Amino acid sequence: MSTSRTDGLPVSVVDRMSLVLEALSTGPMTLAKVTARTGLPRSSAHRLLEQLSNAGWLARSPEQTYELGLKAYEMGQAALNQNRLLHQARPVMQGFAQRIGYTIQLGVVDRDDTVYLAKVNGRASGSTPTAVGQRVPAHLTAVGKVIMAYAAPAQPPSLRDAAGAPEDPAVARSGAVRFDKEMAQIRDHGAAFDRGEAFPGIACVGVSIGPPDHMYGNLAGLSVCAPIGALDLQKMVAPLRVVAGEIWQRCVATDLARH
């Protein structure tokens, strides 16, 4: 099946369905909103919405709005239940949040975004704006930064462009230099910091899980977050590394037991 694009729009049915499902991940929408969000022709968007609704991936309300349906929920739960890393991380994260009192998150990088897979709230963090399944530009988050830093030697250009290079070539070069410098500092210290970059007033520190060249290593990371001023980011690096190491050991032990 062709996956080329015409006028910037995906040609394959799978790509177009993915575009519609991703648009609806933000909440219910009318046909007009789906068309505006995806850029698909109205007739194509309507046909896909109806097909996905008939198959159970979407639910259609009497007011003719569409939202994710039962099949999407079932598949999402199945994906979470099959995630070995998530299984090993959850109990360790819960223990950390209860013991330390700060919110801890597990995330991965996908298409230049940090995607949060798990979050355990801590009593000392108060309300924090992230949520499981949420996407945030990776270069703004502590988890995203630490994963990008270890992937830097082989990272695709899109990750480097995610730093927000403007049109002015001179300013773009300056931004790229700062970005590369930050990535080098992260590799030197083994931790990344977000001081209100992703969300105003929220600070985070992030570390990767395991060696960066292993399947459980640079594919995922942990971060601790709290309001700026409530959390000493530097002092949190060591405890967070201990948690990451425990999750790593659990994953390795589980894999060895399978063979």
Side-chain angles (χ1 to χ4, degrees):
M1 182 179 293
S2 172
T3 57
S4 61
R5 289 172 175 257
T6 303
D7 296 330
L9 294 177
V11 172
S12 78
V13 174
V14 171
D15 284 344
R16 290 190 173 210
M17 285 186 170
S18 296
L19 195 62
V20 170
L21 290 171
E22 288 172 5
L24 287 167
S25 67
T26 61
M29 291 185 183
T30 62
L31 170 60
K33 287 186 177 180
V34 171
T35 301
R37 179 68 63 88
T38 63
L40 293 171
R42 183 181 176 88
S43 59
S44 297
H46 184 258
R47 181 169 60 253
L48 290 171
L49 288 168
E50 290 299 305
Q51 291 173 344
L52 289 167
S53 297
N54 292 336
W57 289 101
L58 299 180
R60 181 177 56 247
S61 74
E63 294 77 21
Q64 294 301 305
T65 61
Y66 299 84
E67 60 186 75
L68 295 180
L70 184 59
K71 184 169 289 188
Y73 173 80
E74 291 173 339
M75 291 301 291
Q77 290 300 306
L80 292 176
N81 292 335
Q82 294 175 22
N83 190 308
R84 290 176 289 173
L85 174 59
L86 197 54
H87 276 297
Q88 303 307 322
R90 276 174 171 158
V92 181
M93 293 170 64
Q94 289 169 351
F96 175 90
Q98 292 174 358
R99 184 173 65 256
I100 304 298
Y102 289 109
T103 296
I104 184 170
Q105 305 171 125
L106 170 69
V108 297
V109 170
D110 177 63
R111 290 177 292 174
D112 304 344
D113 290 331
T114 295
V115 181
Y116 294 102
L117 300 182
K119 176 181 179 179
V120 181
N121 291 316
R123 62 186 182 279
S125 296
S127 177
T128 52
T130 54
V132 173
Q134 183 177 7
R135 284 180 174 268
V136 182
H139 66 284
L140 300 179
T141 70
V143 167
K145 288 180 183 182
V146 77
I147 293 175
M148 292 169 68
Y150 286 114
Q155 71 182 0
S158 59
L159 280 183
R160 300 173 66 86
D161 294 342
E167 295 181 359
D168 187 324
V171 178
R173 285 192 296 272
S174 176
V177 169
R178 290 196 303 272
F179 180 71
D180 288 340
K181 182 178 180 180
E182 183 177 16
M183 295 297 102
Q185 291 173 339
I186 292 169
R187 289 190 291 271
D188 288 342
H189 296 109
F193 302 96
D194 160 22
R195 297 177 175 88
E197 298 164 61
F199 299 97
I202 300 296
C204 297
V205 54
V207 301
S208 62
I209 297 176
D213 60 347
H214 190 276
M215 64 177 295
Y216 289 129
N218 198 46
L219 293 183
L222 295 170
S223 68
V224 174
C225 65
I228 292 177
L231 178 65
D232 188 324
L233 298 180
Q234 295 290 346
K235 288 184 178 180
M236 197 54 60
V237 172
L240 192 56
R241 283 176 177 162
V242 171
V243 175
E246 184 176 349
I247 294 173
W248 161 253
Q249 292 298 331
R250 283 173 171 247
C251 289
V252 172
T254 300
D255 279 355
L256 290 176
R258 291 175 180 269
H259 298 293

